[in-house]
Amino acid sequence: VTKSFEITKQKVETPKAITDLVYNGLEITGVTTSNLYTVTGGTAKFFGSYIANVTLNDTDNYEWAEAFDGTIEWSIAKAQLTVTANDEEVTYGDLAPSYTVTYNGFVNNETKEVLGGELSFACEYEKTSNVGNYDIVASGYTSDNYEITYVNGSIKVNQKEVGLTWGEVEFIYNGVNQLPTATATGLVNNDECLVTVTGAKVNVGEYEATASSLSNSNYKLPVNVTKEFEIKKAQLTVTVNDEEVTYGDLAPSYTVTY
């Protein structure tokens, strides 16, 4: 007695593309694997789109669980690389510094040497620029495997400290306010900068004058802004006027000249 029976092929789940793959500098597998089928073109290293071909190892006993043409599209995205212009700080009148950047996002110990193009900077600052902040803008790199984002830096221009040269510090009383004058030294860019001095006095004595402000906001006063000065007594001569009388006259009213 015989009985017919049938052994059907085992269903194999269709392989899938692995998603969200990002360049990491290493060989990346983009398709799910199994010992039941062979994948060619399923690994790559660099950014791009790929097509993998998949074939069953034993078509006599296995078949795909659903219609499948044997190809799978998969991809590797670019890694994110941030290039940040480093902040700088200068004093008014300085030459522009050499600008630099910091990198964040290189993978597998890679460096800027893997980038194409040429790094360049744009900044409005120059040695005659006023005190303030100016953007440092980096650009110029290209890359097959990195998506490059640039972050601006800033250059801060600080006030330049002046020196002070004081004028005459000894005065003779004259009935009006007196005080020394001060001149700012160490100026650049053919600038003018007037010094306001306070502390004027009228009467005889020893006093202290203070350089209180500058007319040019690109400069600042030094730490020592005071200067001692003296108003001395004026010389006053009182002369008795000559008189003339005739013998026997009463004495006149005497007078003086100042």
Side-chain angles (χ1 to χ4, degrees):
V1 178
T2 61
K3 181 65 176 179
S4 297
F5 67 95
E6 181 181 5
I7 300 175
T8 60
K9 293 182 178 182
Q10 178 69 41
K11 300 295 185 180
V12 178
E13 185 176 347
T14 304
K16 306 296 182 183
I18 300 172
T19 58
D20 300 324
L21 299 175
V22 178
Y23 172 75
N24 63 8
L26 302 172
E27 197 74 14
I28 296 175
T29 298
V31 178
T32 56
T33 59
S34 168
N35 60 0
L36 298 178
Y37 53 79
T38 298
V39 179
T40 56
T43 62
K45 183 177 180 180
F46 303 111
F47 160 78
S49 297
Y50 301 92
I51 297 178
N53 295 292
V54 184
T55 56
L56 287 168
N57 294 333
D58 181 1
T59 56
D60 292 334
N61 296 300
Y62 295 90
E63 64 182 4
W64 298 115
E66 57 189 65
F68 176 52
D69 67 358
T71 61
I72 297 176
E73 294 182 0
W74 64 283
S75 63
I76 298 174
K78 290 185 176 184
Q80 296 296 315
L81 176 66
T82 302
V83 180
T84 302
N86 295 322
D87 292 337
E88 300 286 348
E89 193 166 340
V90 296
T91 298
Y92 172 72
D94 287 351
L95 292 173
S98 297
Y99 301 120
T100 59
V101 296
T102 298
Y103 304 91
N104 184 28
F106 279 124
V107 298
N108 197 33
N109 295 318
E110 291 184 343
T111 68
K112 64 179 181 178
E113 303 306 320
V114 302
L115 302 177
E118 184 175 351
L119 179 64
S120 62
F121 296 94
C123 183
E124 292 183 355
Y125 172 75
E126 54 188 23
K127 69 185 299 290
T128 57
S129 297
N130 292 325
V131 165
N133 292 283
Y134 300 84
D135 286 338
I136 303 170
V137 182
S139 64
Y141 279 135
T142 61
S143 176
D144 293 333
N145 296 301
Y146 289 96
E147 189 70 43
I148 302 173
T149 299
Y150 294 95
V151 177
N152 292 350
S154 176
I155 181 168
K156 180 182 180 182
V157 184
N158 295 311
Q159 291 175 312
K160 180 177 176 62
E161 184 176 295
V162 299
L164 292 176
T165 298
W166 291 92
E168 180 61 49
V169 294
E170 291 186 356
F171 301 92
I172 302 299
Y173 173 78
N174 64 3
V176 298
N177 278 324
Q178 299 184 89
L179 82 169
T181 60
T183 302
T185 61
L187 305 181
V188 295
N189 299 327
N190 295 316
D191 286 341
E192 291 185 358
C193 184
L194 302 179
V195 183
T196 297
V197 179
T198 57
K201 299 295 180 181
V202 175
N203 295 321
V204 169
E206 294 182 350
Y207 305 102
E208 186 176 81
T210 301
S212 58
S213 65
L214 300 172
S215 65
N216 189 325
S217 60
N218 290 316
Y219 296 92
K220 66 179 181 179
L221 290 165
V223 174
N224 185 6
V225 295
T226 61
K227 187 69 174 179
E228 293 182 354
F229 71 100
E230 181 180 7
I231 300 176
K232 296 181 177 182
K233 290 182 177 181
Q235 295 298 315
L236 177 64
T237 301
V238 181
T239 303
V240 178
N241 297 321
D242 293 338
E243 299 289 345
E244 188 173 343
V245 295
T246 299
Y247 175 75
D249 288 350
L250 293 173
S253 298
Y254 301 116
T255 60
V256 295
T257 299
Y258 302 93

